[in-house]
Amino acid sequence: MLRIASASLAGTAIEFYDFFAYGTAAALVLGPLFFPSFSPLAGTLAAFGTFGVGFLARPLGSAVFGHIGDRYGRRPVLLASLLLTGLATVAVGCVPSYASIGMAAPILLVLLRFLQGLGLGGEWGGAVLLTAEHAPEQRRGLWSSFPQMGPAVGFLLANGLMLVLSSALSDGQFAAWGWRVPFWVAGLLALTGLWLRRSVEETPPFRALAETGHRADAPLAEVLRGHWRLLLLTGGALAVGYAVFYAVTTWSLAYATEHLGVHRSVMLACIMVAVALKGLATPVIAVLGDRYGRRPLCLAGCTASALWMFPFVALLRTADPPLMTLGLVGALFGMVTMFAVVGAYLPELYPPRIRCTGAAVGYNLGGVLGGALTPIVATALADGSGPPWAVAVYLTAIALVSLACFALLPETNPTVVRQRTGAPGADKETDKETEAAGAAAPV
């Protein structure tokens, strides 16, 4: 399990490195380089617009790669998605600026960002199922949290490199070529990830489906036909996690550097501390999910997020690094309380024959609802000289919507369900509870 989980963690870390390198570049340099005729605010909004394209592509990627995962196996998804994202990311680092090729520059940027999102949309489902379907029942949450640590590791790699470059180079050097280096490094990381995943075995549930001939012919159609309500609920439930994460890691970086005069190196360091603590907390919270259930932690995380958004904005507004870091840590703590357990939660909501498609599409639908628009909306709401309380209202509203969605989802942890219902009737009770949310029996 350690070898399998490590391979999943390495792959998600590399893929999210690719995704986050773009987000940081969008906050710092892409506006002036690719949209020079825009005002500073409009340029930042346009750069975040290209950032959002990646989120719009993720559900499509999860549908395409989910079909492959449910029809041909989880393992091919791990290799193909990593290769696609790696190649697209390296290409981003090679796109000439607007000054060199005109409108072709932002068009190429949007196309490559779309391909990045396509690959990342398939990555999560394959990586999480690899661990969830191999893991023992009583430790499924813990092992499934390994790929959930990937975003934190990827963010630290991408932004650590950005921090080193922005500190070592002048503003002119960083804008001219320094920001491209993390994208070129992605090529080496992708090759490393492919090497780590080359010997990963197919999961037992998929092998059983292949042997019995019970694989879904059209997984996406089956998900939309029989589980559409569950799909909408999971997308809405996960929206707050994405919204909070990208408010912390992308919008706050742009806001602090442009409105508060905080140097980009200082703000990157504050964000990296918060993300590092988030990554360390992930397996600890996942163990609690194995013990007490997935749903209670998700409800607690949504509640904490709703209560913390105004303190988050107030602490960010101080422009004091320790206080800003405190605000960022508090916001990510609420987010990770949910996302530490969803690696086990979402697969348990879907039957094996459509699990790769259902779990991945639901997860990435949350990305569209919460992640794609948040940097754009927050940047627009924060324009002006006063505190951006409208951003806090926006994030709190998303948290309340997600809280309502989680409240309508069932508990899926097999151990907790048995303890609640009694072993003799546990399976039947679980089936009833899950079908009420539009799903088939859990794992």
Side-chain angles (χ1 to χ4, degrees):
M1 276 309 308
L2 183 60
R3 179 177 60 84
I4 292 169
S6 298
S8 293
L9 169 59
T12 53
I14 292 165
E15 294 234 25
F16 276 95
Y17 165 92
D18 299 349
F19 208 72
F20 292 146
Y22 192 101
T24 304
L28 296 177
V29 297
L30 294 188
L33 289 176
F34 290 88
F35 305 96
S37 61
F38 290 15
S39 68
L41 174 62
T44 300
L45 288 171
F48 281 150
T50 64
F51 176 75
V53 167
F55 283 98
L56 296 178
R58 283 173 66 168
L60 178 59
S62 62
V64 172
F65 285 102
H67 181 89
I68 295 172
D70 286 326
R71 284 292 301 162
Y72 306 106
R74 321 311 192 196
R75 187 174 179 273
V77 172
L78 296 175
L79 302 176
S81 61
L82 182 57
L83 183 62
L84 174 61
T85 308
L87 291 174
T89 304
V90 172
V92 168
C94 300
V95 176
S97 67
Y98 184 94
S100 299
I101 60 173
M103 278 303 297
I107 291 173
L108 283 173
L109 206 61
V110 169
L111 175 61
L112 292 171
R113 181 60 176 173
F114 183 86
L115 293 176
Q116 266 193 327
L118 205 66
L120 190 61
E123 163 66 24
W124 186 85
V128 165
L129 290 193
L130 183 73
T131 52
E133 293 188 338
H134 273 107
E137 178 184 286
Q138 69 276 13
R139 288 289 180 267
R140 186 177 294 141
L142 172 61
W143 291 116
S144 298
S145 73
F146 272 63
Q148 292 299 86
M149 287 187 278
V153 176
F155 182 88
L156 292 173
L157 288 174
N159 287 273
L161 187 51
M162 284 283 192
L163 179 59
V164 169
L165 290 167
S166 65
S167 300
L169 302 175
S170 66
D171 289 347
Q173 290 172 323
F174 185 76
W177 58 269
W179 69 272
R180 299 179 184 273
V181 174
F183 293 91
W184 297 335
V185 171
L188 296 176
L189 293 177
L191 291 176
T192 303
L194 290 171
W195 179 80
L196 289 172
R197 288 180 166 183
R198 73 194 191 285
S199 61
V200 170
E201 298 177 356
E202 190 52 77
T203 66
F206 182 80
R207 289 202 303 268
L209 286 172
E211 291 169 2
T212 58
H214 288 162
R215 289 173 293 179
D217 293 325
L220 180 61
E222 191 170 325
V223 169
L224 295 176
R225 183 172 59 250
H227 308 277
W228 60 270
R229 183 172 180 266
L230 176 63
L231 203 62
L232 294 177
L233 285 176
T234 52
L238 297 177
V240 64
Y242 282 100
V244 169
F245 187 83
Y246 287 102
V248 166
T249 60
T250 302
W251 168 74
S252 67
L253 176 60
Y255 179 77
T257 54
E258 294 174 8
H259 290 260
L260 304 179
V262 179
H263 192 274
R264 62 172 177 257
S265 299
V266 173
M267 194 59 200
L268 277 173
C270 294
I271 295 171
M272 288 175 64
V273 169
V275 173
L277 294 175
K278 166 192 170 292
L280 292 174
T282 298
V284 178
I285 296 172
V287 170
L288 296 178
D290 280 328
R291 183 176 180 86
Y292 300 109
R294 328 292 187 207
R295 185 169 172 267
L297 289 175
C298 292
L299 294 173
C302 285
T303 303
S305 295
L307 294 174
W308 189 253
M309 291 304 97
F310 279 90
F312 160 61
V313 169
L315 290 167
L316 179 65
R317 178 73 180 174
T318 66
D320 180 64
L323 292 179
M324 289 193 300
T325 302
L326 176 62
L328 301 172
V329 170
L332 290 185
F333 181 78
M335 176 263 179
V336 76
T337 304
M338 296 171 276
F339 272 56
V341 299
V342 297
Y345 196 13
L346 263 65
E348 287 173 343
L349 286 167
Y350 291 90
R353 59 186 277 116
I354 57 168
R355 182 172 293 150
C356 194
T357 300
V361 172
Y363 185 83
N364 288 293
L365 180 60
V368 174
L369 298 175
L373 295 178
T374 292
I376 301 172
V377 173
T379 299
L381 292 176
D383 185 35
S385 58
W389 298 124
V391 176
V393 172
Y394 171 74
L395 294 173
T396 302
I398 296 178
L400 294 176
V401 171
S402 293
L403 179 66
C405 291
F406 273 123
L408 295 173
L409 289 171
E411 178 57 65
T412 61
N413 184 336
T415 303
V416 172
V417 172
R418 278 196 296 271
Q419 290 173 349
R420 180 190 302 164
T421 62
D427 292 339
K428 292 181 180 180
E429 184 66 27
T430 302
D431 290 349
K432 291 177 182 178
E433 192 176 2
T434 313
E435 284 170 5
V443 178

